[in-house]
């Protein structure tokens, strides 16, 4: 599968980003930037040094373990950045604190309360994602007839998981705010492509780039869905080899299977990260095939940005480009 000419680059950077509310988060080798356009049109920005936890705990940099660490770290940083960008929204659009928020702030103080609320929100977000994309398909798996066979049931479960994911994205695009978020996502991809081609970071140069990037988080999620089909199929087959489990009441054996699927999530994430890491480095035909589904889904999760969004992406990217040229190479 040939790579689109608009996507050919001089090198591949490890710099990555995330869309915020009217802004963009960019994460570089040793620092991270957040840039947001305020209601008055001015840009607000914040740059912070990154703590290298993997140097203190080398195990977090090991293959198959680093993927889990990176996912948790990205989610935590992303939620903090979204909270930061929300502060610049007009007051009438900002969500008023709930009674629980006010009570927590009174008991813990504003700073500790904010950390507690973000931690709670992240846990809830993970639980909802696990419930929607793993437990619901696992429940539907138990309703499928045995006559279609073990392989057929596992394959259908995976297809159901992907359909739920696509329906979720389709529903999200119906919201005006999400459409703007996806446009900032497109601006982030375009700016990184421009930087990887070593072109001057101007609005004109960035605008002509592709918004479909192979090292996108969307591609990661798509590969998670695909890898889960294989891993869960193997797990289901292994469990079928134990007569004691088959002899249990159907509700109990179903619960065991569902719990095993949840326990397999870190393994699925670890495998997916290593695959995506290789795909991001490789120009082979196999890598192009693996990247293809994620780039197609990016037709949903990215939109064409306007020039003001591109300006935000350029500023965010400039703030994290390392002084030593090439030190951010993927």
């Amino acid at each position: 599968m040939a790579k689109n000419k608009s996507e050919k680059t001089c090198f591949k950077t490890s710099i990555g980003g995330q869309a915020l509310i009217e802004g963009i988060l960019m994460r570089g080798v040793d620092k991270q930037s957040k840039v947001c356009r305020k209601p008055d049109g001015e840009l607000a920005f914040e740059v912070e040094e990154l703590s290298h936890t993997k140097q203190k705990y080398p195990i977090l940099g090991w293959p198959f373990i680093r993927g889990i660490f990176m996912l948790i770290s990205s989610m935590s940083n992303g939620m903090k950045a979204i909270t930061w960008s929300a502060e610049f929204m007009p007051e009438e659009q900002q969500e008023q604190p709930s009674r629980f928020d006010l009570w927590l702030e009174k008991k813990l103080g504003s700073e500790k309360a904010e950390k507690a609320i973000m931690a709670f929100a992240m846990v809830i977000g993970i639980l909802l994602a696990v419930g929607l994309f793993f437990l619901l398909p696992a429940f539907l798996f138990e309703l499928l007839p045995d006559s279609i066979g073990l392989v057929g049931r596992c394959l259908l479960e995976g297809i159901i998981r992907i359909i739920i994911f696509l329906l979720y994205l389709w529903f999200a695009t119906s919201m005006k705010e999400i459409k703007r978020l996806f446009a900032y996502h497109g601006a982030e991809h375009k700016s990184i492509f421009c930087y990887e081609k070593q072109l001057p970071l101007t609005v004109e140069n960035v605008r002509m780039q592709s918004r479909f990037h192979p090292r996108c988080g969307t591609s990661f999620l798509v590969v998670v869905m695909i890898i889960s089909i294989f891993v869960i199929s193997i797990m289901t087959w292994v469990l079928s080899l134990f007569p004691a489990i088959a002899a249990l009441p159907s509700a109990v054996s179903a619960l065991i299977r569902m719990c095993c699927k949840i326990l397999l999530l870190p393994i699925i994430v670890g495998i997916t990260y290593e695959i995506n890491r290789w795909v991001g480095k490789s120009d082979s035909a196999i890598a192009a095939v693996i990247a293809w589904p994620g780039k197609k889904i990016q037709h949903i999760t990215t939109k064409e940005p306007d020039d003001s969004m591109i300006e935000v992406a350029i500023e965010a990217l400039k703030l994290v480009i390392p002084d030593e040229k090439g030190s951010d190479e993927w």
Side-chain angles (χ1 to χ4, degrees):
M1 185 180 296
K3 182 180 282 192
N4 190 305
K5 288 183 180 180
S6 67
E7 297 180 9
K8 288 184 178 178
T9 58
C10 298
F11 85 112
K12 297 174 182 179
T13 181
S14 60
I15 295 174
Q18 173 187 324
L20 306 176
I21 301 171
E22 297 300 324
I24 287 177
L25 161 74
M26 284 286 186
R27 187 180 177 92
V29 176
D30 51 14
K31 53 189 172 181
Q32 163 179 292
S33 71
K34 294 174 285 189
V35 179
C36 181
R37 190 172 294 281
K38 298 188 290 186
D40 61 6
E42 294 295 318
L43 295 182
F45 65 91
E46 186 176 286
V47 182
E48 52 190 317
E49 298 293 324
L50 294 174
S51 58
H52 295 284
T53 311
K54 287 187 288 187
Q55 293 180 358
K56 189 176 181 180
Y57 305 102
I59 190 175
L60 298 179
W62 291 5
F64 301 104
I65 293 178
R66 59 190 172 190
I68 303 165
F69 167 72
M70 289 298 296
L71 178 63
I72 295 172
S73 177
S74 297
M75 288 184 64
S76 176
N77 286 329
M79 291 199 67
K80 290 176 183 176
I82 288 176
T83 302
W84 175 83
S85 66
E87 294 175 358
F88 298 101
M89 293 175 62
E91 288 188 13
E92 62 271 14
Q93 295 182 23
Q94 293 189 27
E95 186 177 346
Q96 296 301 314
S98 64
R99 291 183 179 180
F100 175 73
D101 294 340
L102 295 173
W103 175 82
L104 207 59
E105 185 173 342
K106 183 179 178 181
K107 294 292 183 182
L108 302 178
S110 58
E111 187 175 344
K112 288 184 178 180
E114 184 179 347
K115 290 181 180 179
I117 291 169
M118 280 195 293
F120 178 74
M122 189 168 74
V123 170
I124 294 297
I126 292 172
L127 291 177
L128 287 174
V130 169
L132 185 61
F133 301 126
F134 280 88
L135 286 182
L136 178 57
F139 171 75
L140 295 175
F141 169 87
E142 300 301 333
L143 301 179
L144 295 172
D146 293 333
S147 58
I148 62 175
L150 185 61
V151 174
R153 292 174 74 196
C154 291
L155 185 60
L156 279 175
E157 180 189 1
I159 293 172
I160 289 169
R161 185 176 294 113
I162 292 172
I163 290 173
I164 292 173
F165 177 61
L166 292 175
L167 288 174
Y168 173 82
L169 292 179
W170 176 80
F171 176 76
T173 56
S174 65
M175 302 169 64
K176 180 181 176 182
E177 295 81 4
I178 298 299
K179 284 183 179 179
R180 287 193 64 81
L181 196 75
F182 286 170
Y184 274 104
H185 190 192
E188 175 233 322
H189 284 187
K190 283 173 172 281
S191 64
I192 290 177
F193 262 133
C194 186
Y195 171 62
E196 289 180 324
K197 291 180 181 179
Q198 298 186 358
L199 297 172
L201 289 173
T202 64
V203 172
E204 292 74 19
N205 286 339
V206 171
R207 190 193 301 123
M208 68 177 66
Q209 306 305 320
S210 170
R211 72 176 200 265
F212 311 121
H213 203 288
R215 293 186 296 283
C216 172
T218 304
S219 299
F220 177 82
L221 292 175
V222 173
V223 178
V224 163
M225 301 286 176
I226 296 171
I227 293 299
S228 67
I229 295 175
F230 294 99
V231 174
I232 289 175
S233 296
I234 294 171
M235 179 274 298
T236 306
W237 172 74
V238 170
L239 290 179
S240 70
L241 299 178
F242 292 89
I245 295 178
L248 293 170
S250 58
V252 176
S253 60
L255 182 61
I256 291 174
R257 283 192 294 269
M258 291 177 76
C259 289
C260 288
K261 290 173 182 179
I262 298 301
L263 293 174
L264 283 173
L265 268 175
I267 296 174
I268 293 169
V269 168
I271 294 172
T272 301
Y273 179 81
E274 298 306 321
I275 291 174
N276 271 30
R277 187 179 176 88
W278 174 78
V279 168
K281 290 181 177 181
S282 176
D283 290 319
S284 68
I286 296 175
V289 169
I290 295 173
W292 182 82
K295 290 167 75 173
K296 288 300 177 184
I297 299 298
Q298 287 177 48
H299 282 81
I300 301 175
T301 61
T302 65
K303 302 297 179 186
E304 285 296 331
D306 59 36
D307 287 356
S308 67
M309 295 174 179
I310 291 174
E311 289 172 359
V312 171
I314 291 172
E315 290 304 314
L317 178 54
K318 284 180 176 178
L319 290 170
V320 299
I321 294 175
D323 296 329
E324 182 183 347
K325 187 174 181 179
S327 62
D328 61 317
E329 189 166 0
W330 181 265

